[in-house]
Amino acid sequence: MLPDGIPVKPVYTAQDMEGLEHVTQELPGVYPYSRGPYATMYTARPWTIRQYAGFSTAEESNAFYKKNLAAGGMGLSVAFDLPTHRGYDSDHPRVMGDVGMAGVAIDSVEDMKVLFDGIPLDRMSVSMTMNGAVLPIMAMFVVAAQEQGVAAEALTGTIQNDILKEFMVRNTYIYPPRPSMRAVGDVMAYTAAHMPKFHPISISGYHMQEAGATPAIELAFTIADGLEYIRCAKAAGLEVDQVAPRLSFFFAVGLNFYEEVAKLRAARRLWARMVKEKFNPKKESSLVLRTHCQTSGYSLTAQEPHNNIIRTTIEALAAALGGTQSLHTNSFDEALALPTDFSARLARNTQLILQEETGITRVADPWGGSFFMESLTASLEAAAESLLNEVEGLGGMTEALLAGLPKRKIEECAARQQARVDSGAQVIVGVNKFISQATDAEAVPVRQIDNSAVLTAQLARLAQVKASRDGAAVAAALQAVEAAARSSERQPNLMELAVQAARVRCTVGEISDALERAWGRHAASTAVAPGCYVATRNAGAAAAGLDADVEVAEVESAVARFEAITGRRPRILIAKMGQDGHDRGARVLASGLADLGFDVDISPLFQTPAEVTLQAMDADVHIVGISSQAAGHRSLVPALLQALREAGMQHVLVVVGGIIPPQDHAELYELGVAAIYGPGTRIPAAALDMIQLLVGPEALAGDKAAAGGASAA
């Protein structure tokens, strides 16, 4: 049984093709495109090799891009740092610990010019992952190219510009959903008028799967987003045939090999049918789904990290056999830190070997007509279409988001998956089965970013930009942006105004602030999915013929013992600090601990250490748990410890989880962190450890023996 509830049989025959006989007549490049968007597929040209990268300063990222291109890369995929994503300049007090840590810092056109220095933008395809601050970043790219001597009409590539998925999972939004969609539409309208070779949106399911969605849910919500963006384009004055041929998609590829191949085939079928039925385009190209893929980050493990090379290779093969148009392969060390030059080269070479040495590019869709694959493709298409219709019934994805449907379903999936991994029902080699005693993670060199050095460089260039520009021109440009954002009219186009603002050296933060004054800043719900974790564990125990899950029972007994000793249950505040919006780990932990009997508070996203301290005081917690996925732990966690001490809260335990390189553990412990729970930590094990840290293991010894005796009985 697949995670989507689709049964898989050991043998498939011609009987499984009943109702699907027509697929044996289908060809690549022909409607409904399940066999591929192009007739020749890789036999004429292999997929494009892209490496998503960006870190530290624009100078360092530029050097990395040049090395990557010289070594066989075919296009650039730019990762921006979190302050840039969230519309803050590097000098904003909320972002000091995030500057340059999980992407490249961009404050103005001057940074963008350095980022692409020596890279011919009239010949190089550039993909930019940007959503919240899409208007200033896209504008600065256009202006930087023009000042390099490249007209907007010559630029090729893609801007992600997919704000809907940010409200579901990744959380690098700035404004509420409805005004955010206006920005999306204005970018599409601008590119239609001025950038005919550029894709104005990449509709992303990747982050949905990374946040816990099953392949069918990823597929359904991604297609639903795409339909919503066509409606958005129509609202901006575009016809379907002006925009649909220039849409691109972005899917995750995980380790469930057959299902991932089938997902990409089903995506093309479902998109072609939906666009044809709902919008009746005149151009055949409007029906074709073209996609970029990226191997899974979630499947990477901190334990035995070299196993990740194998995982990524399998995922890359699934993407190729599913018919992707371009691919990024993750580096094996990304569960520990940002990739090194060595690990990035190995990831890139994985694709080169698949293209050059395996022969898989010689045949277009070798799965065509397979009893199993065609049946699985049809089953995935049907499962996704059912959920897609639920979203459409609510009025489309924007309304579904406001109703909370997508986020709830994804978080429930994430909690169930964590329960399966923790119980061993879902095997992860080296984590919950075939566990090695080797500590090779500690021997893996990792990339370390000196936040203070990056911040100093960014602040210096930002100050220079502000000192050398025309203040009156800046004020006029920002006033024009704000006035247009406040207006109910769709003219003037916000992207046009952002280009004018960027040209006079308005910054990312200033343009974003002008929009925020008109639209406000969005705040997400802190509710979590209750009941899923323990229910999945109990169902697994029942399926194994057990009366109860022993590990769950042990934690519940420990919680009861803690309550008997202290008069209340253990209380934890789970918080995200800085601009890191990747909240899967935090929300799954919150759900799991609540199911196990903890009192759980979860903070809003994007908190400062001072704000977390106030929340800890107000809730009178025993523990503060910090989730860090973007390297901010080296500056933000020490600041939190200091803030707690200054508030007289030094008795509160601080524990940290997420992507924490082993090389940083000793420093964090020395500063006062009580425990570090990296990827692969079981929630019950963390729960027991935290209770023992609070009351001592001897206080729970009797209960552990009692729990063991009860389970044996």
Side-chain angles (χ1 to χ4, degrees):
M1 183 76 72
L2 296 175
D4 289 301
I6 298 171
V8 175
K9 302 186 297 184
V11 176
Y12 283 74
T13 67
Q15 290 183 326
D16 295 291
M17 297 289 284
E18 291 182 6
L20 303 175
E21 293 84 357
H22 61 284
V23 302
T24 62
Q25 307 301 316
E26 290 181 3
L27 293 170
V30 177
Y31 179 89
Y33 308 104
S34 55
R35 299 198 63 192
Y38 307 117
T40 55
M41 287 305 290
Y42 308 142
T43 62
R45 179 187 175 192
W47 65 88
T48 298
I49 298 173
R50 292 188 182 274
Q51 289 303 104
Y52 177 56
F55 53 88
S56 185
T57 61
E59 288 88 349
E60 288 204 41
S61 292
N62 174 265
F64 183 91
Y65 295 155
K66 288 177 177 175
K67 284 191 288 186
N68 183 53
L69 293 172
M74 302 172 186
L76 300 180
S77 290
V78 181
F80 298 98
D81 74 351
L82 293 168
T84 305
H85 273 288
R86 294 269 294 146
Y88 292 115
D89 287 334
S90 297
D91 59 359
H92 196 284
R94 298 191 72 88
V95 306
M96 298 302 188
D98 292 308
V99 175
M101 297 302 287
V104 60
I106 298 293
D107 293 321
S108 74
V109 169
E110 295 305 316
D111 290 325
M112 195 71 81
K113 288 171 69 175
V114 172
L115 185 66
F116 294 113
D117 181 51
I119 295 173
L121 293 176
D122 55 343
R123 302 196 303 274
M124 183 58 58
S125 172
V126 176
S127 172
M128 294 181 287
T129 300
M130 177 51 64
N131 301 287
V134 65
L135 289 167
I137 287 298
M138 186 68 173
M140 289 173 188
F141 174 66
V142 169
V143 174
Q146 290 173 341
E147 294 185 6
Q148 191 189 81
V150 179
E153 291 79 6
L155 294 171
T156 61
T158 306
I159 185 81
Q160 192 166 93
N161 195 25
D162 176 11
I163 199 62
L164 290 173
K165 71 99 169 46
E166 299 296 331
F167 296 108
M168 295 183 224
V169 288
R170 189 162 169 260
N171 299 308
T172 57
Y173 47 71
I174 303 175
Y175 319 107
R178 289 192 179 104
S180 293
M181 288 295 282
R182 180 180 168 190
V184 171
D186 280 10
V187 169
M188 288 195 283
Y190 181 90
T191 55
H194 303 290
M195 303 172 71
K197 299 179 181 179
F198 203 88
H199 294 281
I201 191 165
S202 174
I203 303 152
S204 173
Y206 180 85
H207 301 96
M208 299 178 201
Q209 188 175 133
E210 289 292 281
T214 62
I217 290 177
E218 177 195 7
L219 174 54
F221 289 164
T222 306
I223 298 298
D225 283 353
L227 299 177
E228 191 81 337
Y229 288 129
I230 291 180
R231 297 187 189 104
C232 176
K234 288 172 71 70
L238 301 174
E239 295 299 323
V240 60
D241 287 323
Q242 289 179 277
V243 66
R246 298 169 64 236
L247 300 180
S248 65
F249 288 78
F250 173 25
F251 286 100
V253 181
L255 275 170
N256 202 315
F257 184 82
Y258 295 129
E259 190 172 19
E260 294 295 354
V261 174
K263 180 184 73 183
L264 297 181
R265 301 174 91 250
R268 292 189 289 269
R269 293 182 61 86
L270 188 57
W271 177 252
R273 284 199 302 106
M274 290 292 106
V275 173
K276 189 172 187 178
E277 293 171 9
K278 292 179 180 293
F279 301 105
N280 191 30
K282 303 297 187 295
K283 292 182 179 179
E284 189 78 10
S285 57
S286 293
L287 306 176
V288 181
L289 182 149
R290 306 161 189 84
T291 191
H292 171 72
C293 286
Q294 181 175 339
T295 60
S296 174
Y298 176 75
S299 70
L300 304 178
T301 66
Q303 299 87 342
E304 299 187 59
H306 292 103
N307 288 346
N308 296 332
I309 300 170
I310 303 161
R311 294 183 175 102
T312 294
T313 302
I314 293 167
E315 292 164 350
L317 180 61
L321 294 181
T324 190
Q325 278 62 73
S326 66
L327 178 62
H328 166 86
T329 34
N330 286 335
S331 301
F332 74 88
D333 52 358
E334 289 187 53
L336 303 172
L338 289 170
T340 62
D341 288 354
F342 169 76
S343 65
R345 184 172 69 251
L346 196 61
R348 182 181 58 251
N349 287 349
T350 301
Q351 295 193 55
L352 291 171
I353 290 168
L354 287 175
Q355 288 186 354
E356 302 292 340
E357 299 186 25
T358 65
I360 64 171
T361 60
R362 296 173 185 166
V363 178
D365 187 38
W367 291 104
S370 160
F371 298 152
F372 169 52
M373 186 55 68
E374 298 294 5
S375 175
L376 181 56
T377 299
S379 295
L380 260 177
E381 181 184 5
E385 186 171 2
S386 176
L387 184 54
L388 172 62
N389 289 336
E390 186 177 353
V391 172
E392 290 290 284
L394 291 171
M397 185 53 84
T398 304
E399 298 305 316
L401 281 171
L402 293 171
L405 171 73
K407 194 169 186 68
R408 183 180 72 251
K409 284 189 176 291
I410 292 171
E411 289 181 358
E412 288 171 353
C413 287
R416 285 192 288 267
Q417 183 178 20
Q418 187 65 46
R420 289 193 298 270
V421 171
D422 284 355
S423 67
Q426 180 175 328
V427 173
I428 301 180
V429 173
V431 174
N432 61 8
K433 194 172 184 179
F434 309 114
I435 300 171
S436 170
Q437 299 306 309
T439 58
D440 54 345
E442 297 179 5
V444 174
V446 298
R447 186 185 295 278
Q448 295 277 15
I449 304 297
D450 184 347
N451 171 247
S452 61
V454 177
L455 186 59
T456 298
Q458 284 302 118
L459 295 182
R461 184 148 57 216
L462 184 57
Q464 184 178 18
V465 167
K466 289 182 176 181
S468 60
R469 65 191 183 175
D470 182 337
V474 167
L478 294 174
Q479 185 177 10
V481 170
E482 182 179 349
R486 290 187 184 278
S487 172
S488 60
E489 302 295 326
R490 295 302 297 250
Q491 293 297 328
N493 181 288
L494 287 169
M495 181 64 194
E496 293 268 11
L497 295 176
V499 168
Q500 294 172 22
R503 186 168 289 120
V504 298
R505 294 325 191 245
C506 296
T507 68
V508 168
E510 289 169 337
I511 297 171
S512 299
D513 285 348
L515 294 167
E516 185 179 344
R517 287 192 292 273
W519 292 344
R521 187 172 277 265
H522 180 71
S525 167
T526 58
V528 296
C532 294
Y533 181 86
V534 165
T536 302
R537 294 281 304 239
N538 289 340
L546 303 174
D547 292 335
D549 187 307
V550 174
E551 192 174 38
V552 169
E554 186 177 353
V555 177
E556 291 172 339
S557 176
V559 169
R561 178 62 177 160
F562 182 92
E563 187 173 13
I565 294 170
T566 67
R568 61 191 182 115
R569 299 191 298 180
R571 191 175 194 97
I572 183 171
L573 170 65
I574 297 176
K576 296 284 296 183
M577 294 193 296
Q579 299 306 303
D580 172 16
H582 294 85
D583 62 346
R584 173 179 181 162
R587 299 180 78 84
V588 166
L589 180 63
S591 297
L593 290 177
D595 284 3
L596 292 169
F598 277 59
D599 285 330
V600 178
D601 295 278
I602 186 164
S603 81
L605 291 170
F606 316 120
Q607 298 298 283
T608 65
E611 288 167 341
V612 173
T613 298
L614 286 175
Q615 292 159 23
M617 292 174 65
D618 289 344
D620 191 20
V621 299
H622 302 100
I623 310 162
V624 174
I626 298 300
S627 171
S628 176
Q629 303 291 327
H633 61 275
R634 299 185 69 195
S635 55
L636 293 169
V637 171
L640 172 66
L641 291 163
Q642 179 64 27
L644 287 169
R645 284 192 291 269
E646 291 175 355
M649 299 281 288
Q650 59 269 19
H651 59 281
V652 172
L653 293 183
V654 174
V655 301
V656 182
I659 307 300
I660 313 293
Q663 292 89 332
D664 292 350
H665 287 198
E667 179 183 350
L668 291 175
Y669 283 130
E670 187 175 335
L671 288 168
V673 169
I676 298 171
Y677 304 120
T681 303
R682 300 189 323 280
I683 291 178
L688 280 173
D689 186 55
M690 286 187 285
I691 294 174
Q692 289 177 354
L693 287 169
L694 288 170
V695 299
E698 63 283 349
L700 305 179
D703 290 300
K704 187 172 182 179
S711 65

